[in-house]
Amino acid sequence: MSSTNIDPNHVRIFDTTLRDGEQSPGISLNAHEKLEIAQQLARLGVDVIEAGFPIASPGDLEAVEAIAREVQGPVIAGLARAQAPDVESAARAVRDAERPRIHTFISTSDIHIVHQFRSTRADVLAQARAAVAHAKSFVDDVEFSPMDATRADLEYTAEVCAAAIEEGATTINVPDTVGYTTPEEYRAFLGGLYRLLPELHDVVLSVHCHDDLGLAVANSYAGVLAGARQVECAVNGIGERAGNASLEEIVMLLHTRGELSGLHTTAVTTEIARTSRLVSRLTGYVVQPNKAVVGRNAFAHESGIHQDGVIKERTTYEIMDATSIGLDANSLVLGKHSGRAALKQALGELGFHVDGATLNTAFKRFKEIADKKKTVSAMDLEALVTDELRESMPSYTLESFEVHASSTGSPHAKVEITRTDGTRSEAEFSGDGPVDSVFEAINLATGLDARLREFRVDAVTGGQDALGETSVVLEYEGQSAAGQGVATDIIEAAARAYLRALSTAVRKVQAIGEATDFSATEPVATP
Ligand code: KIV
Ligand code: ZN
């Protein structure tokens, strides 16, 4: 970009966790969860949050609107196909943002133009031009993406981008939609675009790479070396199919090896670990243990030689300091004598501002846990917030449970649950295992026939008295929903997670019943 007071070495981080990331199979975040992630992304200091694809569903529109209204700092972008209703929906969704952006796209590859759109290059060019012009009538900040560019004709892609720039696009993003390109090829493609279209120097060039061949980060880096000053990426690398370039890898690459290129981001690296945990918890997508930067083992040393080296001097086997991504969070510790004010302050330091009834709930749960566990760390509190404070009024809560399991008889569970109106019911069940018995007993107590789809147990921290964190995905009347539970006892954590998921599923079913207005709306295919 040639504009004067813009740092030419600043690489903008465009986070698409809530849009492309949310397109990962099985992820379905509600508006509240999306807002919470967006707030954390703002703390992480990303430059742009792509908050969703507003035309795709009323839920997406509502979430983007909420984020635009409530999240300060980053640019808030809404995605739109190169069609007037999409652009209008995106414009409506981002209108309350401090710095709104509309991101519109259409494919320039013949594979897509011929086989998917059954259109022509001329029509696509006209559509791109019209969509950018339309978007520009609502906002100053317009991004245009020629989808599947890396499999498209360079000259034609340059022509379409030229039209977008003429109509006022301020960012041109060149997607490797199917994760097909290689670093050398991508760099050459972008170099070719600069050559054919010198006006590209007057806007921000952006890269958007998918990881089908495991090259998303390498390709994005090649793009940056070719002149791109925006990288589109997602936390934990989630996204369509094999995912997007992983945000934490891009940020830490530029942070750790910035001297190679002289480039930098303005992301707050110490927020990386927390952002990764939050996204993993809310999406239900586990981070693989050996994942670069945020995997559980990314800073673990197993071999004796490595351990010996690191004890003597950390840099012998570590190229990044764990504290630089925020892995020192365990320094904050509360105990069973800590009071409500200390809990409130500790939660505040973690970015959760709680008061009134929510603080009371948190304090009650904190006391229960602190009674069983000597110390409650920041990671424990974070998990507790996930479990307890996210949803103000779950439809069902666990009052008590009892489980008998032995190597001789069938496991048996008894549960008592409370509804929001205060009514209670009990049920018991003998199933295949203790967890199965609890889940079936809950189905009987609530009178709901839900089916378990996924179940996972993790320890929040190390140590024998670590909190157990469970994630459940279940299906009820065609709606799937996820829930998390945290407790020192994993059966209790499982029951809590199941009831949370069930409460969400019931709400979804009710919402669908009430949303008659939208029943005639055609489903929108996501990009
Ligand atoms: O992968 C892709 O091409 C996209 C576009 C919408 C930018 O996600
Ligand atoms: Zn994509």
Side-chain angles (χ1 to χ4, degrees):
M1 266 205 76
S2 57
S3 205
T4 41
N5 52 4
I6 287 174
D7 176 357
N9 297 327
H10 172 213
V11 176
R12 296 155 186 79
I13 295 297
F14 175 114
D15 179 275
T16 188
T17 307
L18 296 173
R19 200 279 297 166
D20 213 319
E22 222 245 347
Q23 284 171 219
S24 312
I27 296 186
S28 164
L29 298 166
N30 62 37
H32 193 79
E33 292 165 335
K34 286 185 187 174
L35 183 58
E36 190 172 343
I37 290 177
Q39 266 151 351
Q40 178 56 27
L41 290 170
R43 252 178 250 131
L44 175 63
V46 305
D47 300 279
V48 185
I49 295 175
E50 186 165 53
F53 185 21
I55 192 98
S57 70
D60 252 52
L61 174 70
E62 186 201 331
V64 181
E65 280 177 331
I67 291 168
R69 231 181 4 251
E70 294 186 33
V71 178
Q72 267 83 48
V75 168
I76 306 297
L79 185 69
R81 291 169 301 185
Q83 294 174 11
D86 282 44
V87 170
E88 284 151 22
S89 178
R92 180 177 151 201
V94 298
R95 73 185 156 195
D96 290 335
E98 240 173 24
R99 294 191 291 148
R101 174 180 295 186
I102 296 176
H103 175 194
T104 184
F105 70 98
I106 190 162
S107 297
T108 53
S109 74
D110 290 330
I111 309 179
H112 284 201
I113 295 175
V114 174
H115 299 293
Q116 188 179 11
F117 306 151
R118 301 194 197 289
S119 183
T120 61
R121 286 188 179 191
D123 279 352
V124 164
L125 174 61
Q127 248 183 286
R129 183 183 283 285
V132 173
H134 197 37
K136 200 70 187 178
S137 71
F138 296 106
V139 292
D140 286 338
D141 186 350
V142 175
E143 173 169 334
F144 173 73
S145 291
M147 188 158 80
D148 202 23
T150 54
R151 292 193 299 167
D153 179 60
L154 176 66
E155 279 73 19
Y156 174 64
T157 302
E159 201 185 334
V160 176
C161 292
I165 295 174
E166 268 169 39
E167 297 303 331
T170 40
T171 299
I172 296 289
N173 175 50
V174 182
D176 181 32
T177 303
V178 290
Y180 180 69
T181 200
T182 64
E184 295 74 16
E185 188 184 66
Y186 197 40
R187 201 171 170 169
F189 190 88
L190 298 176
L193 278 184
Y194 271 125
R195 186 170 37 78
L196 293 170
L197 182 58
E199 294 81 357
L200 203 50
H201 289 285
D202 302 331
V203 300
V204 175
L205 176 66
S206 166
V207 288
H208 176 113
C209 299
H210 280 269
D211 209 30
D212 299 66
L213 292 172
L215 289 173
V217 170
N219 287 337
S220 304
Y221 187 57
V224 161
L225 296 180
R229 289 296 176 268
Q230 173 177 287
V231 176
E232 303 202 351
C233 47
V235 176
N236 299 337
I238 60 173
E240 194 74 42
R241 303 179 314 279
N244 284 87
S246 133
L247 178 147
E248 57 279 6
E249 293 175 27
I250 294 284
V251 168
M252 288 314 285
L253 170 59
L254 290 174
H255 184 78
T256 311
R257 301 305 314 274
E259 84 288 357
L260 291 176
S261 58
L263 302 174
H264 62 89
T265 73
T266 46
V268 182
T269 62
T270 48
E271 290 292 331
I272 286 178
R274 226 177 108 199
T275 314
S276 163
R277 291 194 296 267
L278 178 70
V279 169
S280 174
R281 274 193 181 116
L282 293 187
T283 57
Y285 262 49
V286 191
V287 175
Q288 79 192 57
N290 60 333
K291 162 88 177 59
V293 184
V294 291
R296 194 172 58 234
N297 297 344
F299 293 91
H301 302 279
E302 185 68 19
S303 101
I305 296 177
H306 287 205
Q307 286 174 350
D308 175 62
V310 169
I311 288 165
K312 289 177 177 146
E313 164 57 40
R314 186 189 60 75
T315 56
T316 50
Y317 291 94
E318 276 184 7
I319 59 161
M320 294 171 269
D321 188 338
T323 59
S324 68
I325 64 153
L327 277 180
D328 56 350
N330 253 342
S331 55
L332 188 158
V333 171
L334 298 180
K336 71 175 178 185
H337 299 298
S338 305
R340 204 176 294 256
L343 176 68
K344 183 175 158 112
Q345 186 183 338
L347 287 171
E349 278 173 32
L350 290 170
F352 302 108
H353 299 285
V354 292
D355 259 315
T358 319
L359 179 60
N360 290 345
T361 313
F363 191 62
K364 184 166 165 273
R365 287 285 287 134
F366 162 72
K367 280 289 180 190
E368 283 164 16
I369 286 166
D371 268 347
K372 294 182 190 154
K373 210 175 171 289
K374 275 193 219 74
T375 55
V376 179
S377 69
M379 295 252 279
D380 293 329
L381 284 181
E382 222 181 88
L384 184 68
V385 169
T386 306
D387 178 37
E388 292 300 327
L389 308 186
R390 221 145 247 148
E391 187 190 355
S392 48
M393 197 56 90
S395 313
Y396 306 98
T397 41
L398 181 69
E399 215 48 56
S400 66
F401 76 101
E402 233 179 271
V403 175
H404 295 285
S406 71
S407 56
T408 46
S410 299
H412 186 80
K414 187 169 166 187
V415 299
E416 187 182 9
I417 58 114
T418 316
R419 295 183 181 75
T420 28
D421 62 6
T423 54
R424 289 186 181 207
S425 23
E426 279 185 13
E428 27 196 308
F429 192 82
S430 288
D432 294 334
V435 172
D436 174 58
S437 306
V438 168
F439 291 169
E440 289 299 340
I442 291 175
N443 278 356
L444 290 175
T446 55
L448 302 171
D449 186 22
R451 290 289 119 223
L452 183 68
R453 290 289 171 246
E454 278 174 42
F455 176 57
R456 208 181 79 223
V457 184
D458 289 306
V460 172
T461 53
Q464 278 212 325
D465 65 351
L467 283 179
E469 178 175 20
T470 57
S471 301
V472 159
V473 178
L474 55 70
E475 205 175 299
Y476 170 64
E477 294 200 355
Q479 294 305 307
S480 72
Q484 292 83 33
V486 173
T488 45
D489 180 319
I490 60 154
I491 307 266
E492 180 184 342
R496 288 178 179 279
Y498 194 85
L499 281 166
R500 266 172 196 278
L502 199 55
S503 300
T504 305
V506 167
R507 259 204 315 275
K508 277 185 167 179
V509 171
Q510 281 165 355
I512 285 172
E514 286 158 14
T516 42
D517 287 359
F518 298 110
S519 57
T521 309
E522 289 256 323
V524 174
T526 49

